[in-house]
Amino acid sequence: MTILVVLFAGCAKERPKRPPEEISIPTRPAPSVPEALSPKREASQRIVQMGKEYLEAGNADKAVQTFQEAINVDPENGVAFFFMSLGLYQMHLFDDAMGILERAGALLNPYPDWRGEVEQLRARIEAEKEAAPATEPAGEGYY
């Protein structure tokens, strides 16, 4: 029994609070959508803008919550998924960030500029995962 407690205690260590490599927040416009989706997309993009402001202020947790709201309004908004992934990356939740980024990549694939942003973030997440210890702090699980 004592051995199991020691093993589990070793797994629960939180990784050092080293900030991930600085990444600039993309400012490119969101891709256009068919007219039928425009009102939902516009509302979702306004929420994304609020989330980007939280990210710029260093409040990644609040930003991720805000991006989730944008996704709830428009589940096809790849930009919201992209920025949610960026927020999770800043919170050191690399596995969650990668899972959300996969959805962003699928939604943004038709847009070459956004494909480049997705690939750049994917490379940064992978580099941070390699440099970080094997365990992540317990998170809510975003995907």
Side-chain angles (χ1 to χ4, degrees), residues 44-123:
S44 182
Q45 281 307 117
R46 283 192 300 271
I47 298 168
V48 167
Q49 187 57 43
M50 291 183 335
K52 287 170 60 176
E53 291 169 12
Y54 287 123
L55 272 183
E56 290 169 354
N59 191 346
D61 187 51
K62 182 67 176 168
V64 166
Q65 292 172 19
T66 304
F67 298 132
Q68 182 62 60
E69 290 174 29
I71 291 166
N72 291 344
V73 170
D74 181 3
E76 300 299 311
N77 186 346
V79 174
F81 281 96
F82 174 84
F83 283 109
M84 185 173 180
S85 178
L86 181 58
L88 291 166
Y89 164 78
Q90 290 182 351
M91 294 168 64
H92 296 260
L93 298 173
F94 303 126
D95 288 336
D96 289 342
M98 192 63 82
I100 295 295
L101 189 63
E102 290 303 316
R103 180 70 176 138
L107 292 169
L108 295 171
N109 191 48
Y111 309 98
D113 290 346
W114 278 102
R115 264 197 322 261
E117 296 287 351
V118 168
E119 289 308 313
Q120 182 182 21
L121 181 54
R122 179 177 284 118

